[in-house]
Amino acid sequence: MPPLDFSKLHPSYQPQFSHFPSRRSTIYSAKGAIATSQPLACQAGLEILNKGGNAADAAVATAAALNVTEPTCTGIGGDVFCLFYDAKAKKVRGINGSGRAPKALSLEYLRSQGITGDAIPLTNLNSVTVPGAAAGWLKTVEEFGSGKLSMEEILAPAIRMAREGIPEHELNANQWKISEKLLKNASPNWSEMMMPDGNPPLPSHIMTHPELASTFEAVATQGREGFYKGRIAQGESARSAVFVDEDKDEEEEEEVDSSRKRKKTALIPTIAVVDLVKAGGGVMTLEDLAECDAEVIEPIKYDFKVGEAGDHGVSLWECPPNGQGLTALVALGIVEAVEAQHGIDLLELDHNSTLYLHILIEALRLAFADTRYYVTDPDVEHVPVKEMLSKEYLQKRAALIDLKKSSTIRHGNPINSSDTVYLATADKDGNSCSFIASNYAGFGTGAIPKGCGFTLQNRGTGFTLREGHPNNVKGGKRPYHTIIPAMVTQGEELLMSFGVMGGHVQVLLNKLRGFSAQASLDAPRFCISAGLPDAGTANAASAGDIDSEIWFEDGIAPEVVNELRAMGHQCEVASGYQRKIAGKGQVIQLVQDPSGRRVWACGSDLRGDGCAVGQI
């Protein structure tokens, strides 16, 4: 009789996505709550709430912790956006923490570098815009924070996690494995984000991030200057404490976690952000980084079913351009116009039925066609937000939808990024924060500034390299952005904070038809196009093409998919780990107890490793 094969007991043995579908319950809390795609990151947010911080403080702490737990899609080398509901003022406000292109970047320069297409290649370091995350964190705390905690206290959980190490979770480990080649080809510093043996971590493997901890400490103690000046910005001219191999003849030894080699800290030159970008043919300067700051923004909204039968309806809130939140608002407006034109109530149609999905798909394709063309940096080009949300315009767009077949739609292309983390937080005082962060395509460029422990984003790929296009590349300009946090209000009262990459309208309608916070995320979704050009699908070359494939998750009835094919839709089915293209969403809904006390009802997407947790 053969002996037992104990290798089968390791968490990495034959991993499958949703091997046996499990049931998640909605999580409730009468105090604060955190919902995100990584359970350990949730604990960082709870720690801040328990120290007296509010929802904004907790959101930043959680976002930093997610850089430790899910660097495969987010980090301080990327960008952030947030919406904040102030319960006292009953107002939604926002932060744009997205960075700008280097001032010297131009279409002419890119052409001279041999870039011939409509977008900067994902691994070309000219796709690196100034990382806005650090500025976004600081501005969020400055504008919306409780004022009770310092940045050092807010970042302390993430710093501790990075220093001590955390066990990797299943879905994140899978993405790390997929991205191994990218990291090792992108820069000579790839070992900072691999296990000591040079391999990506498997589920349960403990990863430490001492270099990232040092980066966080610089931001915690020095603020904006800690990230946008000095050794992180440009190590070539800055001598600073970094981790080096023990065989180097340097000073001041200290012990790092036993899962890593014994290392020393020393004052040595490093090659950081500016030097790394320039080494890859980029034109970023210290001045570009030094001028980076996040901005307070006025969110935009669409009122859905407001005024019908005296009803207040709901208002969907999004960040304004350069983010693509306008897409969800336009799509929702087109849905409402289709209902009026055809006498249909979408919420009365069978969920995920053929007609239901056809209307949503066509509405989103029309919305993407407009926003992918017009959305750009409003500081540089006019974006006709008011016009695109007018009832007259939405009715004209809705009239293009044929209820019996798919239409050919011109203009623009929806590039959907599922390689993003979204988190929602709420506190005991009724405030809530809807927060999203991303490197864009997975690890972004995969390039790691030496001694910094994070990868640089490739958000500049969002520019459209076409003379005369509103979103054409220009120095100092912010590109079209795919990451969008959302909120829903009823009148002045908060209904929920939520976000899901590419699925805002689907999840909102799920909620409005009576699904719980958790069930609204669990329900199978569709995604227009393969997402990013590195999506790993058979038709990835057509990513971003409105007239390309529609991906449907397992769980949508095969007969419905076949009927949609017969209507002219190019249908594909996503199963297993491929379901990540539908994004990882979170929901925190406000409900009132009969006693008058508020209760947070929370859901977390089964497509991620995470959970929702309540404060006690």
Side-chain angles (χ1 to χ4, degrees):
M1 183 175 292
L4 290 173
D5 183 356
F6 288 104
S7 68
K8 293 181 178 180
L9 299 181
H10 195 271
S12 65
Y13 179 75
Q14 289 189 348
Q16 293 184 36
F17 180 81
S18 193
H19 196 131
F20 299 105
S22 60
R23 178 185 179 276
R24 290 187 178 189
S25 298
T26 296
I27 302 300
Y28 298 98
S29 174
K31 291 187 178 180
I34 312 287
T36 191
S37 53
Q38 222 289 335
L40 300 180
C42 286
Q43 297 301 314
L46 278 185
E47 184 173 318
I48 296 306
L49 291 178
N50 288 332
K51 287 183 176 180
N54 70 357
D57 299 327
V60 171
T62 306
L66 282 164
N67 189 170
V68 181
T69 61
E70 291 191 82
T72 54
C73 52
T74 188
I76 200 169
D79 287 339
V80 302
F81 287 83
C82 94
L83 295 175
F84 181 77
Y85 179 78
D86 185 327
K88 187 175 182 180
K90 297 187 183 299
K91 186 176 180 181
V92 180
R93 300 171 66 198
I95 298 290
N96 182 333
S98 65
R100 302 178 185 275
K103 288 183 178 180
L105 191 65
S106 67
L107 182 58
E108 293 73 23
Y109 176 76
L110 293 173
R111 296 300 187 220
S112 74
Q113 297 298 298
I115 296 174
T116 58
D118 278 353
I120 304 172
L122 289 165
T123 56
N124 187 297
L125 294 193
N126 282 292
S127 69
V128 179
T129 49
V130 175
W137 294 354
L138 292 161
K139 185 70 73 174
T140 298
V141 171
E142 175 187 329
E143 293 290 332
F144 309 142
S146 65
K148 299 177 182 178
L149 300 178
S150 67
M151 203 65 187
E152 289 179 82
E153 292 172 296
I154 290 169
L155 293 184
I159 292 170
R160 186 174 68 248
M161 292 165 69
R163 288 254 185 247
E164 295 177 357
I166 56 99
E168 291 306 322
H169 286 54
E170 292 177 28
L171 299 181
N172 188 60
N174 179 69
Q175 190 60 33
W176 215 309
K177 180 180 178 181
I178 292 171
S179 304
E180 178 181 4
K181 185 176 179 180
L182 169 71
L183 288 171
K184 291 183 175 179
N185 289 339
S187 71
N189 314 313
W190 57 266
S191 62
E192 293 184 21
M193 298 183 71
M194 289 288 172
M195 294 292 288
D197 63 2
N199 292 314
L202 296 175
S204 81
H205 282 180
I206 294 176
M207 273 289 288
T208 58
H209 300 269
E211 298 87 359
L212 182 61
S214 296
T215 294
F216 286 173
E217 286 168 344
V219 175
T221 58
Q222 301 169 49
R224 284 182 61 253
E225 290 197 359
F227 187 87
Y228 295 104
K229 296 182 180 180
R231 76 154 184 103
I232 296 171
Q234 187 175 47
E236 187 175 75
S237 57
R239 295 173 65 83
S240 181
V242 296
F243 286 85
V244 295
D245 292 336
E246 63 177 348
D247 57 356
K248 296 290 180 68
D249 185 18
E250 300 292 354
E251 54 198 63
E252 195 183 346
E253 182 176 304
E254 75 173 359
E255 191 73 34
V256 180
D257 186 272
S258 60
S259 66
R260 299 283 293 257
K261 288 182 179 180
R262 184 179 180 82
K263 297 196 173 185
K264 298 180 179 181
T265 57
L267 298 179
I268 65 169
T270 64
I271 300 177
V273 175
V274 170
D275 301 311
L276 181 58
V277 172
K278 285 185 173 179
V283 292
M284 189 172 288
T285 66
L286 276 174
E287 183 182 11
D288 292 321
L289 270 79
E291 293 181 357
C292 179
D293 199 4
E295 296 179 357
V296 178
I297 53 175
E298 285 298 320
I300 55 178
K301 69 183 175 94
Y302 181 79
D303 299 323
F304 184 62
K305 296 186 181 293
V306 170
E308 292 192 3
D311 189 7
H312 289 296
V314 297
S315 297
L316 174 62
W317 296 83
E318 302 278 355
C319 292
N322 58 312
Q324 73 165 8
L326 181 60
T327 306
L329 304 185
V330 171
L332 193 61
I334 292 173
V335 165
E336 190 168 36
V338 168
E339 290 182 321
Q341 290 172 8
H342 295 278
I344 295 172
D345 184 349
L346 223 66
L347 298 179
E348 294 300 320
L349 295 178
D350 288 342
H351 182 256
N352 281 352
S353 63
T354 302
L355 182 57
Y356 180 85
L357 291 173
H358 174 68
I359 292 171
L360 287 183
I361 291 166
E362 294 294 275
L364 281 164
R365 290 175 67 222
L366 285 163
F368 274 124
D370 287 340
T371 58
R372 191 67 180 98
Y373 183 80
Y374 289 109
V375 168
T376 186
D377 187 344
D379 292 343
V380 180
E381 303 280 352
H382 172 66
V383 183
V385 174
K386 183 178 179 181
E387 294 83 348
M388 292 170 69
L389 290 176
S390 70
K391 294 293 185 182
E392 295 76 15
Y393 182 74
L394 293 170
Q395 288 166 2
K396 289 180 181 178
R397 298 301 273 167
L400 298 176
I401 295 179
D402 186 330
L403 297 188
K404 296 185 181 300
K405 66 179 182 178
S406 174
S407 304
T408 298
I409 296 173
R410 309 293 180 188
H411 231 317
N413 49 354
I415 298 180
N416 171 65
S417 173
S418 60
D419 295 322
T420 301
V421 294
Y422 171 80
L423 65 99
T425 61
D427 61 40
K428 61 181 177 57
D429 297 316
N431 304 306
S432 185
C433 194
S434 183
F435 198 101
I436 199 161
S438 178
N439 296 325
Y440 190 34
F443 278 103
T445 60
I448 303 169
K450 187 174 182 179
C452 297
F454 62 84
T455 57
L456 293 172
Q457 66 179 9
N458 45 15
R459 187 56 66 174
T461 296
F463 284 119
T464 302
L465 306 186
R466 200 179 307 154
E467 199 67 58
H469 194 286
N471 190 44
N472 187 24
V473 67
K474 183 178 180 181
K477 185 177 181 180
R478 285 169 164 156
Y480 173 95
H481 237 284
T482 57
I483 61 175
I484 50 174
M487 281 188 168
V488 181
T489 58
Q490 291 177 287
E492 293 186 335
E493 300 297 329
L494 179 68
L495 175 62
M496 64 180 184
S497 289
F498 81 110
V500 56
M501 293 65 84
H504 281 196
V505 175
Q506 295 177 74
V507 172
L508 173 59
L509 293 179
N510 288 348
K511 196 73 200 69
L512 293 178
R513 67 165 50 236
F515 287 13
S516 70
Q518 184 60 50
S520 65
L521 293 167
D522 289 345
R525 298 194 286 268
F526 69 84
C527 172
I528 298 178
S529 95
L532 288 165
D534 67 343
T537 64
N539 298 320
S542 64
D545 181 358
I546 285 175
D547 293 320
S548 71
E549 69 275 8
I550 314 295
W551 285 84
F552 298 89
E553 286 192 284
D554 274 341
I556 293 177
E559 58 268 25
V560 168
V561 175
N562 288 333
E563 288 170 1
L564 288 167
R565 282 197 184 101
M567 296 172 77
H569 294 289
Q570 299 180 45
C571 302
E572 302 287 346
V573 176
S575 59
Y577 285 112
Q578 199 173 37
R579 290 181 65 184
K580 79 183 187 73
I581 66 172
K584 298 173 290 188
Q586 317 295 327
V587 172
I588 294 185
Q589 178 190 356
L590 177 61
V591 295
Q592 294 295 330
D593 183 73
S595 67
R597 295 174 63 188
R598 68 176 62 88
V599 173
W600 300 109
C602 314
S604 183
D605 207 310
L606 57 79
R607 299 158 189 83
D609 287 319
C611 61
V613 294
Q615 183 187 20
I616 60 172

